[in-house]
Each structure stands twice: as structure tokens, then as C-alpha cells.
Amino acid sequence: MNLKFNRYLAGAALLAASGAASATTCDSALWSYTSAVNSGATGWANELLSNHPECFAGSSTTSLVQINNTTFQQATAISTALASRFLDPSSGPQASTGSKSMAAGGKVASWNAWGNLSSNDTRQSYQSLTGNTAKYDSDILTGVLGADYALSPVMAVGISAAFDDGDGTGSNSGSTTGPNSITSKGYVIAPYFGMQINKALALDASVGFGQGELGMTGGVAAEADRWFAAANLSYAQWMDKIQLTGKLSYLHGEEDYDNSKVNGVAYAGTSAKNKLDQLRLGLQAGYWMNGVMPYAGLTYSSDLDRSTTQFAAVSNPIGKDAWMWTLGVNLFAMKSGVTGGIAYNQEEGRSNQKNNSVMANINLRF
């Protein structure tokens, strides 16, 4: 009798989940998802994740956006600041002679303080497992502050702090309740290390730890511990007034979410640990104009591994490879030791996703 009764409840949960898959707020989606988890209904749970990724901390689509636009953004800012310190372009084509490099033994600024601000806009649209069109839009603003100290002319250590704030919406073409909203915020503290290998090459590594949280329609909240690790090899070479640069990067990021809560009540089975390993290879060319250097670049990125422990999260409609082109300009005030720049980035190549960002940075050496 108990077995039949449990099957009856599972059948009722299936009907509820099927209806909720196309028309639901996030609190309703989580209730249906918890029912699916308790009954072992992988298919039902995966439909809910596919239809409303904005409601789940471990969605394969939203987790990619969060990691890329928060912790990986910080890792990129750190590497940019260190590459600027060691492969200093502020002396223009004369830098190729090593006048400020390790080879010349020139005076090196002991301190480098810097800041980086980026605004990332991501748009996803794909056909869900129930045949509806699922959309997820996200805007995340990430600010990073850092400072490093030269242990020697070829070696520096530093620390950075990053803070992010985002908002977005998720919708489904079969929904009758309208789009769900999502907010995010968090921070990460990251020590880092860099060294100059020779006039053309520099290496840096960083590791960061922090916390983040999500808020969704229906009183849903989820909190996570974050961490990342990154290693970058940077290259720079002058050819008359043209500077060619390159960067090879390996990044690893994790988010470990507790069970989501609805108005303070935890929903069992909704916890998730998200992981992303990414490889990037970028090339860039800039033209020196007496303290002003416009540049263009192209970067290839590949998600070597992307996983989540979210129950039934198996679909990946976004893809793993992308190309990002960049247009920007760097400015150099040589006498005051201040440099800065601004760039526009556009990502292409991922299935069902587009991303663009604007990034500005400033460095002060003393």
C-alpha cells in the first residue's frame, strides 16, 4: 500500500512539475524540483532546469555566466596589471632596447596600485527540453582594486579585492506569469604573484576566496562560497611602432551553494557545487602614438571542463568554445607614472549566447 501511495504522489508531482515547467515563479519551480529530487525523477528535474535556469544556482547556463563575469574577471584584471608592470609599454618602441627591463637593471617602481571596472552584458536564448524558448539575460558590474610591491626588479607580490553586483531576468515562451528576476552580489580577496622571465615574457599566478549570493523572484535566496586559481604567461614585443602582445591563460573557478531558501526556509536537494576550467589564448596588436596606443585583439577560449552537482543538470545548450574580439586604447602619462585604458569586448561563437563587455583600468606606480 505504501509503495502504491508513493507512486501516486510521484505521479502528482510529475503533473505539477510539467505544468510548472512552462509557467512558474522561482519558488514554485523549487517546490516542484524538490519533489522531483525526492522521487528520483531525473527527467522532470531536468525540464525545470532547462525551462527556468534563473531559478537554480547550479544551472549549467547561469553558473557559466556567474563564474566568467566575477572571479575570472578578477583573475584577468590581476594579470593585466602585472603584465603592464613587467612588460612596460609606457616608454614606447624604446622598451624593446630593454631600457626599463631586467636586462638594463633600470630603476623599478616599488609600488603599483591599480583599479579595474568592467560591465558584462550576457544574453542567452535556446529551445528548452519542453520545446519552449527559454531566455536568460544578465548584467554584472565587477570592480577590482589591487596593489603590489616589487621584491626585486623582476618579482612582485600583491593583493586584490573584487566586488560584483548584478541583475537579470529569465523567461519562458510558455509562461503565463511573466519573467523571473534575479540579483547577484559577492566579493573575493585574492593574493597574487608575478615575475619577469625576460624582456618579452612574464608569468603571474593568483588565487582568491570569497562569497556570493543570488536572489530570485518568489523570495528565493542562495548563498555560496567562491574560489578561483589562475596562471598566465604574457608576451610582448615591439616592431618599430607596433607592439605585439599575447597571453596564454588557465583558469579554474568554483561556487559551492547551500540549499536554496524560500523566505528563509531551505529546500532540500537544491544545493550545488559548480566548477569551470577554462583555457584562453589571446593575441593583440597596438600602435604607439606618443603616449596613446590604440589596439585590437582576438582571444580564443575553451571550457575544458564544466560541471555541477545539481541533480539532473545534464543539458548544455551554450557550448564550450568562443572567440572574443577587442578594440581599445591605452593612455600613458609617463612623468606622473599613471597609465590607463578602456576597451570593448565582444564574444562570439557560443551556441545560443552572446556577451559583450566594457572594461576600464588605471595604474599608478610610485
Side-chain angles (χ1 to χ4, degrees):
M1 180 65 69
N2 288 338
L3 180 60
K4 290 182 178 179
F5 182 69
N6 289 337
R7 288 178 177 173
Y8 174 80
L9 287 179
L14 171 60
L15 293 175
S18 298
S22 61
T24 187
T25 56
C26 285
D27 53 337
S28 298
L30 284 173
W31 182 90
S32 298
Y33 180 82
T34 298
S35 299
V37 171
N38 291 336
S39 60
T42 303
W44 312 343
N46 193 229
E47 285 186 6
L48 286 161
L49 289 166
S50 177
N51 276 281
H52 291 288
E54 75 279 2
C55 297
F56 298 91
S59 164
S60 62
T61 55
T62 56
S63 62
L64 170 68
V65 174
Q66 286 292 320
I67 293 176
N68 262 325
N69 294 344
T70 57
T71 53
F72 282 7
Q73 197 68 46
Q74 182 177 9
T76 300
I78 291 171
S79 182
T80 299
L82 282 172
S84 178
R85 171 190 267 276
F86 291 121
L87 306 177
D88 185 5
S90 64
S91 58
Q94 291 77 22
S96 62
T97 66
S99 61
K100 289 192 176 183
S101 73
M102 56 183 274
K107 180 175 175 57
V108 176
S110 296
W111 288 96
N112 178 39
W114 55 271
N116 186 288
L117 184 66
S118 64
S119 176
N120 291 271
D121 180 15
T122 306
R123 299 290 180 263
Q124 297 176 346
S125 179
Y126 59 89
Q127 185 178 49
S128 70
L129 294 179
T130 57
N132 297 311
T133 299
K135 294 184 177 182
Y136 173 66
D137 300 336
S138 173
D139 297 290
I140 298 178
L141 184 69
T142 300
V144 189
L145 296 174
D148 45 77
Y149 179 78
L151 300 176
S152 75
V154 297
M155 193 176 299
V157 294
I159 191 166
S160 73
F163 305 89
D164 58 88
D165 184 81
D167 61 79
T169 59
S171 63
N172 186 286
S173 61
S175 176
T176 59
T177 60
N180 290 313
S181 64
I182 179 172
T183 60
S184 64
K185 61 180 180 180
Y187 72 91
V188 174
I189 306 298
Y192 59 88
F193 167 82
M195 65 178 295
Q196 185 176 5
I197 300 173
N198 55 39
K199 287 192 303 181
L201 291 173
L203 179 70
D204 68 83
S206 57
V207 59
F209 301 88
Q211 293 184 317
E213 59 182 80
L214 299 174
M216 304 94 155
T217 299
V220 180
E223 297 180 350
D225 293 325
R226 300 172 171 177
W227 78 275
F228 80 88
N232 303 274
L233 181 66
S234 299
Y235 168 84
Q237 182 66 53
W238 285 96
M239 299 176 62
D240 194 15
K241 291 187 177 183
I242 297 175
Q243 189 194 43
L244 301 177
T245 62
K247 189 181 295 287
L248 177 64
S249 306
Y250 176 79
L251 305 103
H252 174 84
E254 292 191 19
E255 298 176 319
D256 191 0
Y257 282 92
D258 295 330
N259 283 323
S260 297
K261 296 180 180 180
V262 178
N263 296 319
V265 178
Y267 273 42
T270 57
S271 62
K273 178 180 285 189
N274 308 323
K275 297 181 180 180
L276 176 61
D277 289 280
Q278 194 173 90
L279 185 69
R280 297 181 183 178
L281 176 61
L283 299 173
Q284 183 174 292
Y287 186 79
W288 180 258
M289 300 169 61
N290 296 321
V292 178
M293 188 163 66
Y295 63 88
L298 184 65
T299 299
Y300 169 73
S301 67
S302 179
D303 299 342
L304 302 178
D305 182 62
R306 189 160 87 235
S307 64
T308 179
T309 59
Q310 187 91 59
F311 176 76
V314 294
S315 60
N316 175 20
I318 303 304
K320 69 174 187 175
D321 300 315
W323 293 91
M324 183 177 70
W325 58 264
T326 300
L327 292 174
V329 60
N330 287 326
L331 306 173
F332 306 94
M334 282 83 79
K335 292 183 179 180
S336 62
V338 178
T339 65
I342 187 169
Y344 174 81
N345 306 289
Q346 177 73 53
E347 184 186 78
E348 305 287 350
R350 289 193 187 273
S351 304
N352 310 309
Q353 175 178 290
K354 291 188 179 298
N355 172 271
N356 62 75
S357 65
V358 176
M359 179 186 298
N361 67 83
I362 187 169
N363 296 264
L364 174 61
R365 297 173 197 159
F366 54 96

